[in-house]
Amino acid sequence: MTNISRRDLLKSSAVTAAGATAGLTGIASASNHGKHNHSKSKRVVIVGGGIGGATAAQYLKKMDSDIDVTLIEANKNYHTCFMSNEVIGGVRPMDSIEFNYDKLAEKGIKVVFGSVINIDPDKQRVITKDNKVFSYDRAIVSPGIDFKYDEIEGYSKEVSETSIPHAWKAGPQTAMLLKQLQEMKDGGTFVIVTPPNPFRCPPGPYERASLVAAYFKKHKPNSKVVILDPKEKFSKFGLFMDGWKRHYGYGTDKSIITWIGKEAGGTVSKVDVATKTVTAEAGEFKADVLNIIPPQKAGPIAFETDLVGDLDWCSVDHKTFESTIHKNIHVIGDASIASPMPKSGYSANSQAKVCAAAIASSLNGVPMPDPSWVNTCYSIIAPKDGVSVAMVYAYKDGKIIKVKGSGGLTGPYNAEDRKREELYAHSWFNNITADIFG
Ligand SMILES: Cc1cc2nc3c(=O)[nH]c(=O)nc-3n(C[C@H](O)[C@H](O)[C@H](O)COP(=O)(O)OP(=O)(O)OC[C@H]3O[C@@H](n4cnc5c(N)ncnc54)[C@H](O)[C@@H]3O)c2cc1C
């Protein structure tokens, strides 16, 4: 089978996977005709209007328009992390990754702007900072991630917001990092400190390093990118290494990119904020522009509500995404433990559809069929050089499993394929953002 036809096959199986969840609309829509109205009250409150939360809101309404859906989100605008590396690399404007909730409100979803400070699992209610109380039959929590700032001495939330951004939640810090790179002198050094597993978007730090290197190659050719990594390998390792050799002279004296992995001493323990110098096992590295992506955990509300137990992430039933700790609260997206699915936006989108189907089925007293999921993560290594990793997932013996023979990685370099992958990446972005916010 050629590389292209294998990937086309994947696309058709991805459609099947998406279709499997879409097919559940048929089950739930029976309730819209009054056939299965087992439950009088159908209130679902969603905490977090990011990728998982906004998708779940849309699909609950599509599956059963009688469900009363309230979406509570801290910010009026959402910036996607996907394509934020292109913003940082100076090839895409910031407003192209900005979305709002107008279309969701038009579809009958009650959109509330506010911060949830408490979820009471016994009384089944959600409370916001301004003391609004929302009762639910089912809650969905999709709060994304928080950072373990104190694992790097000297780093803090305040430092990330004022001088050394992580830019791992898109928005003001994305703009700050872009500005710092643009203002950096030619001949400067951009140091990027990557997190240990598990973390949001496994190939993301390496795509960022690549796109900053592409910017330097074009605009600041004497500048360097240094990646300090506590891992020995990372997502799409071979594809990035090959791309860095072809585009950025990797492995030669003239390389724009230097990658220092675990064995070479890439683990960072400390930062001196004033001089932007980090201490790694390999020694001290002084940056002109410094990007520290700290170790991660589930968003604060997951800890506040004790959805984590002794862990950093929320354990869930893989068929429904209901918390294994609190009944009637479902956790999706980055905050959930859904391994072998990666913490990605596409995973969050796929999980949201399965979770919405599970809730719509349960509220209407119909059984939930076995679900399936899909994920593709694109990365741009240089302009016209896109790569991807993709997988279809099934449900077996109570767990999410990879479907053998589905998905895989982009094959060896071929200019036409790579140009097409970049196109696919951009069209994926347009399609998924329309699915979530459109
Ligand atoms: C640089 C970068 C590139 C990426 N590229 C890709 C990519 O190409 N493809 C891909 O699939 N994924 C990508 N990702 C990953 C993707 O962005 C995340 O996996 C995805 O956003 C997870 O969705 P989520 O719903 O779990 O969290 P989020 O999208 O972060 O949403 C969480 C939302 O909850 C809100 N919230 C949190 N707590 C509260 C509260 N207490 N009250 C009210 N609101 C609250 C937040 O404001 C936020 O809007 C990338 C990530 C990064 C950092």
Side-chain angles (χ1 to χ4, degrees), residues 246 384-386 412-421:
R246 278 184 294 103
K384 303 201 173 14
D385 193 348
Y413 181 74
N414 168 308
E416 276 308 307
D417 283 356
R418 296 300 179 88
K419 241 194 266 176
R420 228 185 338 251
E421 289 251 26

Side-chain angles (χ1 to χ4, degrees), residues 48 50-52 73-74 78 81 114 116 142 144 168 200-201 334 344-346 428:
I51 304 309
E73 165 55 42
Y78 180 86
C81 287
V116 172
S142 191
W168 220 241
R200 158 178 286 184
C201 194
D334 290 351
S344 77
Y346 203 171
W428 170 82

Side-chain angles (χ1 to χ4, degrees), residues 321-373:
F321 284 78
E322 186 173 18
S323 161
T324 54
I325 299 180
H326 293 304
K327 251 187 100 49
N328 298 326
I329 301 181
H330 299 243
V331 186
I332 55 173
D334 290 351
S336 70
I337 299 173
S339 173
M341 296 186 81
K343 296 191 185 300
S344 77
Y346 203 171
S347 293
N349 172 265
S350 195
Q351 292 159 9
K353 292 171 187 177
V354 167
C355 179
I359 291 176
S361 302
S362 156
L363 290 177
N364 287 293
V366 285
M368 164 78 177
D370 282 353
S372 65
W373 300 260

